[in-house]
Amino acid sequence: MTKRFKKSIRLIHLWLGLGTGLIVFIIGITGCLYVFEEEIRALTQKDRLYVPVQNKPFLGLEKIIRTFEQVAPDEKITVIRIKEKQPNATVQLSVKKDKAYYFNPYDGSLVYKGGADWLSTVEEIHTSLLMGETGKFIQRWSVVVFVIMLITGLVLWFPRQIRLLKQALTVKWKGSFKRVNYDLHNVLGFYASGVLLIIALTGLFFAFKEVKTAAAFLTGTKLKDGEKQTLVKSDVIDSLPVRYDKLYQDLSIKYPGAEATSISIRKNGELRLRMIYPYKWARNQNTFYFDSATGSLSKAKLFKNFNRADLVEATNYDLHTGRLFGLFGKIVACIASLIAASLPVTGLIIWLKKKKNNRSFRSLASVTEG
């Protein structure tokens, strides 16, 4: 590796880091927190997430939605979440990103209503920096830059000689602050680079259609939207509570065993019902698409028909968050995210120290010449 090449890589690494360091720090910290969002909510929000267990079946959606329409007549439902795996879990109806209603699954009574919790804010910071579409644009391209920085960082880390390998793999804790900081940047960056590349690339999978296309190309299959269904027109259009309840009940009977179900209204006005089943690796989920006005089924995507590209998509979220490997995976993802947040800090300190040393050297040289 020539000195000129390594110098070019160092400059690329430096300026990209200075340009996106703050964004990477924010994404790293928020990602670290959000990895354990399920566990944090289960501990801190029991009063709204669960009710005492009763020896009764799930009431169904019709009465819950009718109660919702009474307590919030001016609101429109955007998402409904049902946790069949936990029969005493409340049914959550979201109306906006910052507002939700929680209902008793046994009698349909309102348990809690309120705004978004701090974890929802953490998620929004992580995905959009609280800046809407502009923030999403900045965030996704910062992650692209971060991938480039990880690769250039690995090139810079690689020792020129094998005898220096041990030094490149350990932190010299007894060294000066400058030395420890330098080692923390290089050594921790190296150890975390593999995990961080996976987290970054799976994050880009959400952000760019091109990444999904590339992943599908590598699998040799095409990502499917779902199989189109013959639309059955009905002379009678049921009210929203009846329509949603029928959809849920019919699919629960036809495809039993779901652990969790969500019903959401997409940006194009389409209604999506997703059922998640027990799984080990790739998420087993059936997804159905309906005309939101009539409840007519338009498309269906069943996990039993997944090809390799579909399996990659179904695995992506759990791989991104570490939950694919259970608690151990979440801990690893959390630590890696913390390291990611530390890299811009230690890198900035390295740059400031070098800048200070260069300034001192030039001052000394001018005095000597004088």
Side-chain angles (χ1 to χ4, degrees):
M1 189 182 298
T2 64
K3 288 185 178 179
R4 182 178 294 179
F5 175 74
K6 202 156 189 176
K7 183 179 180 181
S8 300
I9 293 295
R10 185 173 286 108
L11 285 173
I12 292 171
H13 189 80
L14 169 64
W15 291 111
L16 289 180
L18 291 174
T20 62
L22 179 60
I23 307 300
V24 171
F25 176 81
I26 292 171
I27 293 173
I29 291 295
T30 53
C32 169
L33 288 170
Y34 202 74
V35 163
F36 292 104
E37 57 96 9
E38 287 183 329
E39 290 81 0
I40 294 171
R41 284 193 169 114
L43 285 173
T44 61
Q45 300 178 5
K46 288 182 179 180
D47 58 331
R48 73 177 77 169
L49 295 178
Y50 303 99
V51 297
V53 177
Q54 297 182 38
N55 189 24
K56 294 180 181 179
F58 175 45
L59 177 70
L61 288 177
E62 182 179 351
K63 185 174 180 181
I64 288 174
I65 295 175
R66 291 196 186 283
T67 303
F68 165 80
E69 289 177 338
Q70 292 175 0
V71 299
D74 299 325
E75 301 280 16
K76 290 186 178 180
I77 300 170
T78 56
V79 182
I80 300 174
R81 293 186 176 89
I82 307 161
K83 296 181 180 178
E84 289 91 349
K85 186 180 179 180
Q86 300 165 296
N88 66 321
T90 54
V91 177
Q92 180 183 339
L93 273 63
S94 298
V95 294
K96 299 173 184 175
K97 277 189 174 181
D98 59 349
K99 198 170 184 181
Y101 295 77
Y102 299 79
F103 293 88
N104 188 309
Y106 301 116
D107 60 22
S109 60
L110 179 65
V111 174
Y112 180 88
K113 67 175 180 179
D117 60 10
W118 65 275
L119 281 168
S120 297
T121 304
V122 167
E123 181 187 21
E124 195 170 346
I125 293 172
H126 185 74
T127 56
S128 68
L129 308 172
L130 296 178
M131 296 169 62
E133 291 301 319
T134 301
K136 288 180 182 180
F137 178 86
I138 295 170
Q139 186 260 14
R140 68 171 69 108
W141 284 105
S142 295
V143 176
V144 171
V145 170
F146 184 61
V147 170
I148 297 171
M149 289 178 61
L150 287 171
I151 295 169
T152 55
L154 284 171
V155 173
L156 294 173
W157 169 87
F158 199 85
R160 286 172 293 178
Q161 300 175 20
I162 296 298
R163 65 183 179 85
L164 299 175
L165 184 61
K166 183 179 179 182
Q167 179 180 313
L169 291 170
T170 55
V171 178
K172 192 176 181 181
W173 295 107
K174 293 183 179 179
S176 63
F177 171 78
K178 179 181 175 182
R179 176 67 194 198
V180 172
N181 181 76
Y182 182 83
D183 283 350
L184 286 173
H185 186 79
N186 287 316
V187 178
L188 293 185
F190 168 74
Y191 282 125
S193 58
V195 176
L196 289 176
L197 276 172
I198 292 172
I199 292 174
L201 291 174
T202 51
L204 293 177
F205 189 93
F206 297 119
F208 292 99
K209 290 181 180 178
E210 293 79 5
V211 177
K212 289 186 177 183
T213 303
F217 174 78
L218 291 173
T219 65
T221 55
K222 188 177 180 180
L223 194 63
K224 295 182 292 187
D225 289 330
E227 298 178 3
K228 291 186 177 180
Q229 307 291 310
T230 303
L231 289 174
V232 179
K233 293 185 178 181
S234 175
D235 295 331
V236 179
I237 298 177
D238 296 316
S239 64
L240 188 144
V242 174
R243 187 162 69 247
Y244 280 25
D245 189 58
K246 276 186 178 180
L247 295 179
Y248 174 72
Q249 296 292 354
D250 290 346
L251 290 173
S252 295
I253 293 170
K254 191 172 182 179
Y255 303 97
E259 291 188 332
T261 300
S262 66
I263 302 173
S264 58
I265 302 296
R266 307 177 82 196
K267 289 182 179 179
N268 61 3
E270 194 174 42
L271 188 148
R272 180 180 67 189
L273 190 150
R274 176 169 289 165
M275 309 173 80
I276 299 177
Y277 296 82
Y279 66 96
K280 186 175 181 181
W281 299 111
R283 182 176 289 188
N284 291 337
Q285 60 186 29
N286 289 337
T287 307
F288 305 90
Y289 301 89
F290 301 87
D291 182 311
S292 59
T294 64
S296 298
L297 179 64
S298 58
K299 289 185 299 184
K301 187 172 182 178
L302 307 181
F303 70 84
K304 69 177 183 179
N305 298 326
F306 280 2
N307 59 31
R308 289 188 293 274
D310 296 326
L311 290 172
V312 169
E313 182 184 47
T315 308
N316 189 73
Y317 179 79
D318 288 348
L319 188 57
H320 182 69
T321 58
R323 65 179 65 187
L324 186 67
F325 305 101
L327 180 60
F328 172 77
K330 287 187 174 186
I331 292 172
V332 170
C334 180
I335 294 172
S337 297
L338 275 178
I339 292 174
S342 76
L343 293 177
V345 178
T346 52
L348 179 63
I349 293 172
I350 291 171
W351 178 67
L352 291 174
K353 289 285 184 183
K354 283 186 177 180
K355 194 175 181 182
K356 182 179 179 182
N357 290 342
N358 289 338
R359 194 183 300 120
S360 299
F361 177 78
R362 285 195 297 268
S363 299
L364 180 61
S366 61
V367 170
T368 304
E369 288 174 3

